[in-house]
Amino acid sequence: LPLMQPYVAEEPSQRAPASVGDAALVQTKFFDVEIVGAHPGPLPLIDPVQAFLLIVVAGVVLRLAWLACGVIRLIRFSRCTTEVEPPLAARALETQIGVSARYVLQSGNRGPWTFGTFRPTIALPSTFDALAPEFQRAILCHELLHVKRRDIAVAFGEELTVASLWFHPWMWLLRARIRAAREQVVDARVVEILDNRDEYVRCLVSISGHDLAPHFSQAGAGMLRARELRARVDAIFQEAHMSTRHVIAATFALLMAI
């Protein structure tokens, strides 16, 4: 831009503009510019830049407040629920995975989930005891792997990042992609530990409330959306795996692109 600029204005301290009535004559290197009504007008009531920054800061505060409310709800839920003894299948899985957790039984029809950073807690569905033993092992293995990977702390960091950059639309898309990839990685590890891919897929379909058919699925009845469930099942049955060299090359190319 400095090379393309057609003229160079002199500093005001070096050369003051000559006043001509209500106009100001600004002398530049190549030509003179007459500015009519050079007297400064009233400033706008709202500065656009300040208004934008105010909206961004207000959005960050609201997102952080919403996140704090979620933490408070988790604390209340942890205190109100009754802690139960670890299921029989959990002992062997905890030893195999190398992690332990606290178990609570929740009410309603919500699926299993994990919360707590310093004291990991697995919330089991109310119908957990009625499930088949294979389904119980699959659920426990999945949630224990989340504890092993410290996904709760990572997810909390993601929420803080989204709160600070909430105005950027790509942040929301990136968070959704990270969540889906995290579940797919855990699914692959569960299949590797249990060595029963078909049974694990049946467990996902059973506890999700869907049947993988868009016109027959029970919308809103399960813990997973039908689209997310199909993506996870497709990833489980995908046979091709990238080699270590391919993964390194793809990661390097992606970092260079970013």
Side-chain angles (χ1 to χ4, degrees):
L1 291 179
L3 297 177
M4 298 171 59
Q5 188 172 354
Y7 65 90
V8 178
E10 296 184 1
E11 295 293 335
S13 59
Q14 298 177 357
R15 194 169 189 176
S19 298
V20 182
D22 291 337
L25 186 63
V26 180
Q27 297 178 350
T28 65
K29 185 177 180 179
F30 299 105
F31 53 86
D32 298 338
V33 179
E34 183 179 358
I35 305 177
V36 181
H39 302 287
L43 295 176
L45 298 178
I46 300 178
D47 187 359
V49 176
Q50 293 182 355
F52 174 75
L53 293 178
L54 181 61
I55 293 175
V56 170
V57 173
V60 172
V61 172
L62 290 176
R63 288 294 304 177
L64 292 177
W66 180 260
L67 187 59
C69 291
V71 173
I72 294 175
R73 288 197 300 267
L74 282 178
I75 294 176
R76 291 179 177 177
F77 173 81
S78 179
R79 292 177 178 177
C80 295
T81 54
T82 305
E83 184 175 356
V84 297
E85 292 293 330
L88 297 178
R91 299 295 186 182
L93 289 173
E94 288 180 351
T95 303
Q96 184 177 1
I97 298 175
V99 71
S100 60
R102 171 175 170 259
Y103 298 88
V104 296
L105 193 65
Q106 59 183 337
S107 58
N109 59 350
R110 185 174 182 179
W113 54 290
T114 304
F115 64 95
T117 303
F118 302 103
R119 192 183 181 188
T121 303
I122 298 177
L124 301 174
S126 57
T127 59
F128 181 80
D129 293 335
L131 297 175
E134 294 80 7
F135 286 12
Q136 293 182 3
R137 294 186 72 249
I139 291 174
L140 293 173
C141 185
H142 184 98
E143 301 303 329
L144 286 174
L145 284 174
H146 278 305
V147 176
K148 177 69 174 180
R149 289 163 40 90
R150 295 179 175 87
D151 286 336
I152 307 303
V154 175
F156 187 76
E158 294 170 5
E159 291 296 333
L160 292 178
T161 304
V162 172
S164 60
L165 299 173
W166 64 270
F167 52 89
H168 201 304
W170 277 20
M171 290 304 302
W172 301 90
L173 178 62
L174 182 61
R175 183 184 65 168
R177 297 289 294 177
I178 290 176
R179 284 181 175 180
R182 177 165 50 232
E183 294 299 326
Q184 291 174 359
V185 170
V186 173
D187 290 340
R189 181 59 178 154
V190 171
V191 173
E192 182 181 348
I193 292 176
L194 299 181
D195 195 20
N196 195 337
R197 180 174 54 184
D198 296 338
E199 204 64 40
Y200 180 65
V201 171
R202 292 191 186 95
C203 176
L204 283 180
V205 175
S206 176
I207 66 177
S208 67
H210 300 289
D211 55 5
L212 296 182
H215 54 289
F216 290 130
S217 59
Q218 305 169 15
M223 68 172 186
L224 294 177
R225 296 179 180 178
R227 183 177 180 182
E228 179 183 352
L229 177 62
R230 293 191 194 95
R232 291 175 62 177
V233 172
D234 291 341
I236 291 174
F237 283 102
Q238 186 177 3
E239 298 292 346
H241 297 282
M242 289 193 299
S243 62
T244 304
R245 182 179 302 178
H246 193 177
V247 171
I248 295 176
T251 303
F252 179 75
L254 179 61
L255 290 177
M256 294 299 296
I258 293 176

